[in-house]
């Protein structure tokens, strides 16, 4: 990669995330209370310092509450973080802008957790060397004519599956245990069961370090995945190559469809991996805490926790509602998922299409 400084233009606010264009890559993120926004660019996911920092001028790079820029000639494959600073007013507005945290792009479709340290993200101060990184990945996937299967639910025989656990044991006999590729290898077994769908437990990127301290002390991780941090990205831990997680997920979906098996996702939209007041800052807390989460009316430092997981996503906010609907549309249109379910706090599944 050319380490020289890439020129920067105003860019567009029309789509959140990183969009590859002929002239370069357009970056866009939402933050109402940010006063200073920086885009940090990395060549590798384990680089501790960015090769370029783009400081956005609000007179040029802000439209309403969207911050945006076009980095000319920047190749795909780069990793990046956002960093925002400004007024932090947790009591009155609920704003938690934290200029010390390197933030994931909420719209990123590929994420690396190679450097991630949840503890560092929970504490005040800089966590640049221990943050997750978003990645810009060109989308040139060949679906080969694939489309979601439309099988009436009254004819459905649904097999609920944890992608990591399904082929984790040696007895599965697969070459790539615990991955999307491992599921492909077991398709003949799934067909022998006579099922019509697989219902995948959470496959959106989640924080494996989101466990109680006593659990972490035993060397255990978050297994089930109900701790989402990136609603457009497949979990990198389920991929043979984390940088290809999106396409490896698609390979699995395409192979299941060819076998006549539909794909349903168990989605987690009621809370995130950022937890409550003492939880880590990953993205939403610094970019838009006051919008994304339900906060206590009398003391907006406190999170309303209807989920038992530290926070509750504020789906009443129009920006948040649009974000979540866009996530569902992305998984149906770009990932060819056929439907969704959601488990409430009692563990009961509510199917949807």
């Amino acid at each position: 990669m050319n380490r020289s400084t890439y020129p920067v233009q105003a860019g567009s606010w029309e789509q959140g995330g990183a969009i590859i264009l002929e002239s370069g890559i357009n970056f866009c993120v939402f933050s109402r209370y940010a006063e200073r926004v920086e885009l940090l660019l990395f060549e590798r996911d384990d680089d501790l310092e960015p090769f370029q920092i783009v400081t956005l001028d609000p007179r040029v790079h802000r439209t309403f509450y969207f911050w945006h820029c076009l980095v000319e000639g920047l190749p795909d494959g780069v990793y990046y973080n956002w960093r925002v600073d400004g007024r932090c007013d947790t009591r009155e507005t609920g704003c938690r802008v934290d200029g010390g945290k390197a933030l994931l792009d909420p719209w990123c479709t590929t994420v690396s957790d190679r450097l991630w340290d949840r503890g560092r993200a929970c504490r005040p101060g800089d966590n640049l060397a221990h943050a997750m990184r978003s990645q810009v990945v060109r989308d040139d996937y060949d679906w080969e004519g694939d489309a979601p299967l439309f099988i009436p639910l009254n004819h459905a025989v649904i097999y609920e599956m944890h992608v990591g656990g399904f082929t984790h044991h040696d007895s599965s006999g697969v070459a790539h245990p615990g991955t999307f590729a491992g599921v492909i290898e077991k398709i003949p077994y799934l067909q022998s069961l006579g099922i019509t769908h697989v219902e995948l437990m959470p496959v959106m990127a989640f924080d494996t370090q989101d466990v109680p301290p006593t659990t972490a002390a035993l060397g255990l991780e978050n297994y089930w995945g109900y701790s989402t941090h990136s609603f457009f990205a497949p979990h990198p831990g389920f991929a043979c190559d984390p940088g290809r997680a999106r396409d490896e997920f698609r390979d699995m979906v395409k192979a299941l469809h060819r076998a006549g098996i539909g794909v349903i996702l168990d989605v987690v939209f009621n809370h995130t991996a950022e937890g409550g007041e003492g939880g880590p800052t990953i993205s939403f807390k610094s970019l838009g805490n006051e919008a994304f989460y339900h906060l206590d009316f009398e003391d907006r430092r406190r999170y309303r926790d209807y989920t038992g997981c530290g926070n509750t996503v504020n789906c009443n906010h129009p920006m948040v509602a649009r974000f979540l609907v866009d996530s569902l549309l992305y998984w149906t249109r770009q990932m060819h998922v056929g439907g969704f379910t959601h488990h409430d706090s009692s563990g009961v599944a509510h199917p949807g299409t």
Side-chain angles (χ1 to χ4, degrees), residues 263-328:
V263 179
I264 299 171
L265 296 190
D266 179 357
V267 296
V268 187
F269 286 145
N270 56 356
H271 67 276
T272 77
E274 290 188 306
E277 188 173 349
T281 297
I282 299 174
S283 58
F284 305 111
K285 276 187 175 179
S286 190
L287 291 169
N289 186 71
E290 74 292 337
F292 208 83
Y293 298 116
H294 281 287
L295 305 177
D296 189 281
F297 293 132
E298 296 182 357
D299 184 352
R300 296 180 69 79
R301 292 173 299 180
R302 298 166 53 189
Y303 292 80
R304 293 202 165 193
D305 181 10
Y306 304 119
T307 66
C309 299
N311 61 51
T312 300
V313 172
N314 181 17
C315 299
N316 298 325
H317 192 285
M319 180 65 201
V320 179
R322 174 61 184 269
F323 175 83
L324 297 180
V325 169
D326 283 350
S327 170
L328 292 172

Side-chain angles (χ1 to χ4, degrees), residues 109-289:
T109 59
T110 303
V111 61
S112 170
D113 56 8
R114 186 174 178 182
L115 297 176
W116 176 237
D117 185 326
R118 184 177 176 89
R120 294 293 184 102
C122 290
R123 299 192 293 270
D126 186 2
N127 78 322
L128 179 63
H130 305 278
M132 288 184 268
R133 307 271 193 250
S134 307
Q135 187 181 18
V136 181
V137 178
R138 185 175 298 276
D139 190 357
D140 54 5
Y141 188 76
D142 183 3
W143 278 104
E144 302 177 284
D146 177 79
L149 303 180
F150 294 97
I151 304 170
L153 286 179
N154 61 330
H155 295 153
V157 180
I158 301 174
Y159 185 103
E160 186 174 21
M161 174 193 297
H162 183 284
V163 169
F166 182 56
T167 60
H168 179 75
H169 195 270
D170 291 343
S171 63
S172 66
V174 301
H176 304 288
T179 66
F180 300 126
V183 174
I184 295 175
E185 295 182 68
K186 298 298 289 186
I187 285 177
Y189 167 73
L190 294 171
Q191 288 178 304
S192 73
L193 299 177
I195 66 170
T196 62
H197 298 77
V198 289
E199 177 192 330
L200 305 180
M201 299 176 76
V203 296
M204 295 181 186
F206 61 88
D207 184 7
T208 59
Q209 298 177 25
D210 185 9
V211 292
T214 52
T215 303
L218 296 174
L220 301 177
E221 296 183 334
N222 185 307
Y223 173 78
W224 297 107
Y226 291 89
S227 186
T228 310
H229 57 69
S230 297
F231 293 94
F232 290 80
H235 183 57
F238 292 158
C240 300
D241 176 0
R244 293 193 66 256
R246 179 171 58 173
D247 284 354
E248 290 189 28
F249 177 88
R250 289 164 159 171
D251 289 342
M252 178 193 66
V253 171
K254 184 164 60 175
L256 286 165
H257 286 172
R258 284 175 174 171
I261 298 173
V263 179
I264 299 171
L265 296 190
D266 179 357
V267 296
V268 187
F269 286 145
N270 56 356
H271 67 276
T272 77
E274 290 188 306
E277 188 173 349
T281 297
I282 299 174
S283 58
F284 305 111
K285 276 187 175 179
S286 190
L287 291 169
N289 186 71

Side-chain angles (χ1 to χ4, degrees), residues 22 40-41 52 79 82 97 122-123 130-131 151 170 200 212 225 338:
E22 288 186 6
L40 315 178
L41 300 174
Q52 182 174 346
Y79 294 85
W82 289 103
V97 170
C122 290
R123 299 192 293 270
H130 305 278
I151 304 170
D170 291 343
L200 305 180

Side-chain angles (χ1 to χ4, degrees), residues 61-136:
H61 300 288
R62 184 177 67 184
T63 304
F64 302 109
Y65 299 130
F66 288 91
W67 296 77
H68 46 81
C69 66
L70 173 65
V71 184
E72 292 186 352
L74 187 67
D76 59 287
V78 298
Y79 294 85
Y80 67 101
N81 287 120
W82 289 103
R83 187 161 56 193
V84 304
D85 205 352
R87 181 167 60 96
C88 184
D89 180 10
T90 55
R91 182 177 292 274
E92 294 296 328
T93 66
C95 170
R96 281 184 179 268
V97 170
D98 186 343
K101 296 296 183 287
L103 308 173
L104 279 181
D105 181 349
W107 283 271
C108 72
T109 59
T110 303
V111 61
S112 170
D113 56 8
R114 186 174 178 182
L115 297 176
W116 176 237
D117 185 326
R118 184 177 176 89
R120 294 293 184 102
C122 290
R123 299 192 293 270
D126 186 2
N127 78 322
L128 179 63
H130 305 278
M132 288 184 268
R133 307 271 193 250
S134 307
Q135 187 181 18
V136 181

Side-chain angles (χ1 to χ4, degrees), residues 334-350:
Q334 306 299 323
M335 308 296 269
H336 287 202
V337 167
F340 304 91
T341 65
H342 171 71
H343 284 74
D344 65 21
S345 58
S346 67
V348 176
H350 301 279

Side-chain angles (χ1 to χ4, degrees), residues 36-40 53-56 81-85 99:
R36 178 183 174 88
V37 175
E38 294 177 330
L39 175 66
L40 315 178
I53 298 177
V54 179
T55 301
L56 276 62
N81 287 120
W82 289 103
R83 187 161 56 193
V84 304
D85 205 352

